[in-house]
Amino acid sequence: MPANQQILLDNRPDGEATVNNFKLVTTQTPALADGQVLVRHHFLSLDPYMRGRMNDSKSYAASQPLGEVMIGGTVGEVAESKNPKFQPGDKVVGMGGWQEYSVVDAAQPGALRKVDTTHVPLSHYLGAVGMPGVTAWYGLVKLINPKAGDTVVVSAATGAVGSAFGALAKARGCRAVGIAGGPEKCKYAVEELGFDACVDYKLHKDAHSLSKALKEACPDGIDGYFENVGGMVLDAVLLRMNAFGRIAVCGMIAGYDGKPMPLANPALLLVNRIRLEGFIIAEHMEVWPEALTELGQLVGSGKLRPRESVAQGIAAAPEAFLGLLKGKNFGKQLVKLI
Ligand SMILES: NC(=O)c1ccc[n+]([C@@H]2O[C@H](COP(=O)([O-])OP(=O)(O)OC[C@H]3O[C@@H](n4cnc5c(N)ncnc54)[C@H](OP(=O)(O)O)[C@@H]3O)[C@@H](O)[C@H]2O)c1
């Protein structure tokens, strides 16, 4: 059995996470038992939720245990199988973690899913046609529930979730407006992702200034907001929400290091009769098939052309992950392992 490089969570961060929270080790992959499959990972997904798992505090999911392989989504190829449903060479998506290989009890429901790479590249099953894409779909379709002509806004617009949100919103006839960090990301949002406008939040030092820019980009106000960031961005959007607007709270990445993020003017929720709802996509497995079908069609037809930031080799994962938390990624952050 092959040697396997793995990244463990070695200790918990105090404030900002650092590379010293992780440890690279090499182990031997164990021999397979009946029903098991050995998967060679081609790509590891890096996602903001992993920062929350590094803490030891109460949350919607259990903490990442110390000394164990970091949790993470993976796509790869079956290298060896003692399960009749999987053959060597099958392309699969699973939760293999920050390592080069995983041994999977493939009989467990949902542990390993075969994917078709005829029209969709394997890596996209970790992004637009995977968990981040379904997340965008759920927030837009089930929580914001827009009608054609509505203005919908998303923060972290060029990321894995945000870019899928833009394509899904355009497919529903909405005015789609992104908020992103920097001129290059905003240009890409409009020219490549099809957003009608994109506001660079880094040009604004406070919520009032950002909200003026949002007024220009959203002349009819904002009917739906997909929140990925929190802090000043949320304060600015709240100033522009229309009456009976909907806010899908997906992420609050600006606060993942534990700094409090007070809301400047919560009375706006009442004044504008806003419906605001947080969600965790793993709790809505019922929408995955429908969402993945639409996302696969958007990617297959070229209407959604997601960008990827690819780090090379497992040892690069911690640095790439810390970069993701600071917006150094451009599109879906992956680690290529072969
Ligand atoms: N609820 C769920 O089930 C669920 C599932 C998946 C993802 N999420 C959440 O969805 C959000 C997006 O995830 P993703 O995987 O698509 O990541 P991503 O957007 O590809 O990457 C994160 C982006 O967040 C932005 N960012 C980072 N720090 C920021 C700050 N202080 N202020 C403003 N923006 C900041 C950066 O973009 P800029 O350079 O444009 O600022 C960065 O590129 C995250 O909040 C994540 O936790 C939630």
Side-chain angles (χ1 to χ4, degrees), residues 4-26:
N4 186 18
Q5 291 200 90
Q6 307 173 310
I7 293 196
L8 316 180
L9 181 64
D10 188 48
N11 55 80
R12 301 199 186 278
D14 179 15
E16 259 189 43
T18 74
V19 287
N20 296 327
N21 297 131
F22 303 96
K23 185 173 167 187
L24 177 66
V25 298
T26 304

Side-chain angles (χ1 to χ4, degrees), residues 46-49 60 131-132 135 156-162 179-182 185 201-202 226-230 233 249-254 256 279-282 324-333:
L46 295 177
D47 297 270
Y49 76 83
Y60 62 88
M131 184 278 283
T135 301
T158 62
V161 174
I179 301 174
K185 285 189 178 180
Y201 72 91
K202 289 191 173 165
F226 190 101
E227 173 63 301
N228 280 326
V229 166
V233 176
V249 183
C250 171
M252 294 248 165
I253 196 167
Y256 285 2
F279 71 101
I280 298 298
I281 197 57
L324 167 75
L325 297 175
K326 293 194 181 306
K328 288 187 186 156
N329 63 310
F330 201 140
K332 172 69 205 164
Q333 181 66 58

